[in-house]
Amino acid sequence: MMTAVDDLLRQWGQERAAPALEASLRSPLGDTDQWLGGGRGSGGERGLGVAALFAQHSRVCRVVDDVLRSLSAPREEGGLGGRGLTLYTLAKVRYVHAGEQPAVAAQIAELAISERTYRTQVAELHRAVAERLEKRLREADRAAWRVLVGEV
């Protein structure tokens, strides 16, 4: 098990399970009401929908989510196909939960696999995430370098 990848996936799972739902938007109608002498309006998350939920996740969470989703892409697109979908399901069962992490035995029962298969898949998940994150970081470094030297 790769501890750094495990910690990153735990953070991803916590944000997926319980995103920070504090969001507010200025309302033109509220501004008009204040201008006309009405009460002070306050923002909130009601009615903001999926856009607000997306905005509440950190960049790290979104990158990890993209990496995990890329695992289940077809092999022609660089994913792992069905195997990637299995690893994505494992990641959701292992890391996305509110409160304490379920016991390994409970995770194994939910996935309906043996403990040996579970351990093998966790190691495979960690390797795949580490490889894809490293690739994304290298691409980001190259893009930043091109901007820095004026190639873009």
Side-chain angles (χ1 to χ4, degrees):
M1 176 171 62
M2 297 178 173
T3 306
V5 174
D6 192 59
D7 291 343
L8 190 63
L9 289 170
R10 285 185 198 284
Q11 179 185 352
W12 166 80
Q14 288 171 352
E15 285 192 44
R16 288 285 309 266
L21 291 178
E22 296 179 19
S24 62
L25 296 174
R26 289 186 63 96
S27 165
L29 186 57
D31 289 344
T32 304
D33 188 39
Q34 277 188 304
W35 180 69
L36 294 174
R40 172 121 174 97
S42 62
E45 72 272 356
R46 184 178 13 208
L48 296 179
V50 176
L53 289 176
F54 178 76
Q56 296 307 311
H57 292 296
S58 69
R59 288 184 190 179
V60 172
C61 180
R62 289 191 298 253
V63 168
V64 171
D65 203 44
D66 288 345
V67 165
L68 287 170
R69 289 177 194 274
S70 75
L71 292 176
S72 58
R75 292 187 185 275
E76 300 82 38
E77 297 175 15
L80 299 176
R83 186 65 178 165
L85 188 57
T86 300
L87 295 177
Y88 184 62
T89 302
L90 170 68
K92 290 190 295 185
V93 168
R94 181 171 166 90
Y95 298 108
V96 180
H97 47 77
E100 289 294 315
Q101 179 179 4
V104 171
Q107 295 173 30
I108 290 170
E110 184 174 346
L111 295 166
I113 57 176
S114 71
E115 184 173 352
R116 182 176 179 187
T117 301
Y118 174 82
R119 301 277 180 213
T120 302
Q121 287 181 359
V122 168
E124 186 179 353
L125 171 67
H126 289 177
R127 276 192 308 275
V129 168
E131 288 169 5
R132 286 172 176 2
L133 281 174
E134 185 178 354
K135 181 180 175 189
R136 286 190 76 162
L137 290 173
R138 284 185 184 158
E139 290 170 359
D141 281 348
R142 274 189 243 123
W145 178 254
R146 283 194 295 267
V147 168
L148 185 64
V149 296
E151 291 180 9
V152 178

